[in-house]
Amino acid sequence: MYRKKFFWVTLLVFGLILAMVTGCTQPETTTPQDGDEPDGPVAGADVVKVGMVGPLTGGAATYGISVRNGAQIAIDEANENEEIPGVTLEFISEDTEGDWSKAANAFSKLIEQNKVDVIVGAVLSSETEAGGPIAMSGKVPTISPSSTATGLTIGNPYLFRNCLSDEVQASQLAEYANVELGFEKFAILYTNNDYGVALKDAFEETAKELAEVVAVEAFMDNDENFKPQLTSIQRKDPEAIFVAGYYTEAAKIAQQALEQGLEVQFFGADGFYSPVLMEIGQDAVEGAIFTAGFHSGDESPVVQNFVNKYRQLFNEEPDMFAAQAYDAARIVIEAMKSKGTSSEQIREGLAEIKDFPGITGNTSIDEEGDTLKDVLILKVEDGVFQRLR
Amino acid sequence: MFSAYYLQIIILVGINIIMATSLNLITGFTGQLSIGHAAFMSIGAYAAALATLKLGLPFFGSLFFGALLAAFFGVLIGVPTLKLKGDYLAIATLGFGEIVRIVFLNLKITGGAVGLRGVPKNTTILWVIVAAILTIFVLNRILKSRVGRALVAVREDETAAESMGINTTYYKILAFGVGAFFAGLGGGLFSHYFQYIHPNSFGFLRSIEHLCMVVLGGLGNIWGSIIGAAALTAIPEFLRASADYRQLFYGAILVLMMRIRPEGIISGKKSRKIPPGKTSAWRGKNKFLKATR
Amino acid sequence: MFLQQLINGLVLGSTYALIALGYTMVYGIIELINFAHGEIYMFGAFVGMYLVTVFKVPFVIAFLLAMVLASLLGVTVEFLAYRPLRRSSRLAALISAIGASIFLQNLALLVMGPRPYTFPSPFTPKVYKTSLVTISRVEIIILVISFLLMIGLTFLIQKTKIGKAMRATAQDKDAASLMGINIDLVITVTFAVGSALGAAAGVMVGIYFRTVTPMMGLMPGLKGFVAAVLGGIGSIPGAMLGGLLLGIAEVMGAAYISSQYRDAIAFAILIIVLLFKPAGLIGRFMQEKV
Amino acid sequence: MSGMNSNNGYVLDAVQVSRNFGGLKAVDNVDFYIKEQEIAGLIGPNGAGKTTLFNLFTGHYQPTGGDIFLQDEKIGGLKPHQITEKGIARTFQNIRLFAGMSVLDNVLIGGHTRTKTGLLGAILQCPGDKKEEREAKELALSLLSFVGLDAKKDELSQNLSYGEQRRLEIARALAADPKLLLLDEPAAGMNPQETMNLMQLISRIRDEMQKTILLIEHDMKVVMGISERIAVLNYGKKIAEGTPREIQRDEAVIHAYLGVSA
């Protein structure tokens, strides 16, 4: 009796796994997928696959979808203009639900099933942390447009990123706020995630050297109510608040601070860069100053080209994620142009990127795979971003 | 033969089998609704990772250490909360799970919100298979014994069980302890597979996922949990083909599966003759197993 | 500062209370944790936002319409996902509810996109300031509407015929059915009313925090559920009390202990309360007859 | 009235037990004893406090006054599972079998207190544990054949007929090898034939297994037919005690049952 049931269950489990194996491989049979393909010469490959990993559902979907949109534009442009002669780029995106362990599945699937040659992603730092080792063992170069965690790319020759480092922007901003603008008493309000913590640490360190930090408060991703923290901060009477978080929360924080009669200067980092900041924050975010790598008001044709295309295709304004993803994808294309389209060649190309004129500033990749970029400082004036520095 | 992708999914299926069967011991067999299983998993995951990184324990030792620590917390949470019944217990376990997640998010030693990096990749398919078989074997032995009968008796009718001389509190704590032990084992395998851990993968949504595996497979049936774990690990991967509609389909599949087989894929209900220790979960006096009518 | 935080807590708590009411009503009647309630709340907020911004409907009408449409959605979910499972175990129904929740959330994501939508406040912003506290007009309006809705609900349940039928059904379904009460109708009405309250909370949170997103139901849904349990699930006054207390506990925890541990403190309080009052603050703990 | 130190051969000795629910005195200063191998009955009109007294014996309620001794050992205030361990087993008025478990498993659970295998034993299954399990099964099967259910050992207990479920409950209680067996309305809902069988079964339990039995019963034919001594409760107080004959003639009892104030 028992044995019999065990038999059926085992059979079912194996059946399921078998169904999965066949079910997933079938759609892929149209493209050649011999195991030794990545090392083949450039001339043979006419379709090069670019994968994308990020949260397309769940609480962080807004960032993942921006990244997908931004990268998509770059890929389409490359195909239209035949930037790499004889090569068509195919773009495949995979969802992570914002969960790093599911990001690992997405990486594996792209590398093993789709046989992508390069990956743009992941979006959240935790996702890239989990995906990095997989990319390394699969020898697929990966460039994250937005994972800012400290030391992320160290020790992984296949992992690169294209975003401002948290330390650099936060410490530069602290310096700017104190030295140029003369603020002496800061409060910090940070998201309790990798992004917020890294920004907070860097800002706090520099600000403490130069001036005074009177309050440090935390909030969680997707929080809406910041009144308790703001009330606590208000009592310490700071001159300025550094918000280490993304635009949605930042706008609400500014809004609620205003309602509460807490009138201070707001500072932020590249997470502020989105038109949504003004949409939600309205008057409250007027005058906010933050670091960024991208400025849509920039008159250079590359920037205007991207902004217009983004508006046309997705019916909204691009944010920081979209811009960095666009650049990340263009850096990948640049690497293909300079070295070739096999994974190994792309990796070599990425490692040698110097002064690439991106829409997020001149970008170089250092020996650890990290980026060096100019940090812009922007300010909200009359509801639009103006460049201060 | 298998690509690394399938290998990874099989490993995850294995880990989820450990998670689902151990939760089934608590919820399916002992009748204590728990929405905090991911908390035990995360305790095991972090403890095992730290044991490897900081104490230099060998892989096996780390796994055992993580599992033991998870069991300790299982008992610790069990002692005060187990006088709660049904949904009140469920919500207390949910709260416990969130507390654990937030603590990990803020602790220095666990890397806090940055996560814990550089855990060596020790988990192999062999280890997972061995651990899963061991879990099933141990749970089966427990369930077929005097202890297992007592657990099921607690689920079926607590008052009558008490009258039969069963110390229901003790057995509930025992179920939590053993369940948490294996959840911790699963967590240890998890962290040594991904080489990186971060608290946001152990939120209440993951606990809910474990619960879905158990209910979908069939409450109070070990083999059901195995199938439930395999199905709910594989389905989201299948659904990758449907791109943006993936989660939408996933939700719909859950609703449909419950409509088609509300008692789970395997349930002891149909078979009139059942082996000792294996029972159906539907007629007990336990509140949340009852129909809503 | 204490007084200010208390008000912060009350405003937050009153929205939790409204969400908790939806949970507790459904639970009181069919003992189901309606996991999709958070999504009904989100849906209500979206409808309200759409009516106000796109169709330029006056706020009051948008508010009421959001409640009506959300009740329709609530009833539909009940009909499709819960009713077929009424004879199955409650856990099966719970999983079905989770499925419905995932489905609705992702449907909204597909239809509306992931970006937050702005919900313009229909009230001219104004802040009332005293030496001790500041309170905004929106906050006062939220408090007033919440309390009006709670009073209305109490009236509905205590004084009307359908309210009596609901109470009877909650006590004993079989007896109620023998007395000629249409159980299906009572359940439908319960879902409708609970969903309408959830939508009201959604709209109010929408105007308070100015944004509406497909994911907005997740955390408040969980908190509402916790509040319902804290008060004693199945009890209407319990849900109100539980919601307010949870709001205050969260705010005080963040203010006086640590904002990093805000949610952990709220959950710890919940567990501690349950240890002393195992059936919630107002819940009836029925000793089983032997 | 029994003395404070009850070294008197009684299996159970309740000394001035009381139980209040709020203001209601459900059991009020009741003295009660049961002798070795006796079949005692407890009767009284509805709401007289019979089941409450039962629940005081089994530990489901804690006494608010007085003491209860099981063979000289104080058991008032112990938890139900501890009392079962000491040697009192019971059946329930509204059958409480483990519905989803097999008939055999139900009886095996009854033997819980007479077996020892713990968690480690269950996992390792040492020879001792295997032996214990084998013996427990043998005992359970013999009890099942004693109550005439051996053919149904693998059925789910919920699939048994009403009378069979009653008998299974008795077998389950016997598996605890109790010094005292408490039967709460064992004949309720039975047809005359089933009642006859039940009465025989109860006598056999006493005669063949040398058990001491206390039963609550509404069916006077049953109580009067098998009890050797009967106590009558009314409004929580013991109003009479004696042989069936004496009870049948007792003025107070007649009044209590007819509802005329004495």
Side-chain angles (χ1 to χ4, degrees), chain C residues 201-212:
Chain C
V203 173
M204 288 194 297
V205 169
I207 56 168
Y208 186 33
F209 298 132
R210 318 257 167 123
T211 49
V212 181

Side-chain angles (χ1 to χ4, degrees), chain B residues 80 83-84 87-88 91 95 102 106 159 208 219 247-248 251 255 258-259 262 282 287-293, chain C residues 27 30 80 85-86 88-92 98-99 103 106-107 174 225 229 233 260-261 264 274-275 279 288:
Chain B
K83 66 174 186 177
L84 301 175
D87 297 310
Y88 292 97
I91 200 84
I102 293 165
N106 290 306
T159 311
I208 293 274
L219 276 164
Q247 288 288 88
L248 192 75
V255 175
M258 282 299 119
R259 266 188 89 151
W282 314 113
K287 265 183 111 190
F288 72 85
L289 295 172
K290 272 194 324 195
T292 57
R293 278 186 303 169
Chain C
Y27 191 92
I30 57 172
L80 291 178
L85 289 168
R86 221 176 275 164
S88 313
S89 79
R90 287 179 48 215
L91 266 185
I98 291 165
F103 181 87
N106 285 284
L107 189 66
D174 298 333
F225 172 37
V229 174
I233 192 156
Q260 284 172 314
Y261 286 96
L274 286 184
L275 292 184
E288 205 182 359

Side-chain angles (χ1 to χ4, degrees), chain A residues 184-203:
Chain A
E184 292 290 345
K185 271 173 89 178
F186 295 98
I188 302 174
L189 189 50
Y190 70 98
T191 333
N192 203 349
N193 62 19
D194 36 27
Y195 177 66
V197 170
L199 283 174
K200 176 207 72 164
D201 288 345
F203 190 92

Side-chain angles (χ1 to χ4, degrees), chain D residues 242-257:
Chain D
T243 61
R245 274 178 159 280
E246 289 164 4
I247 293 298
Q248 276 166 333
R249 293 193 192 128
D250 193 294
E251 288 276 310
V253 177
I254 294 166
H255 279 297
Y257 272 89

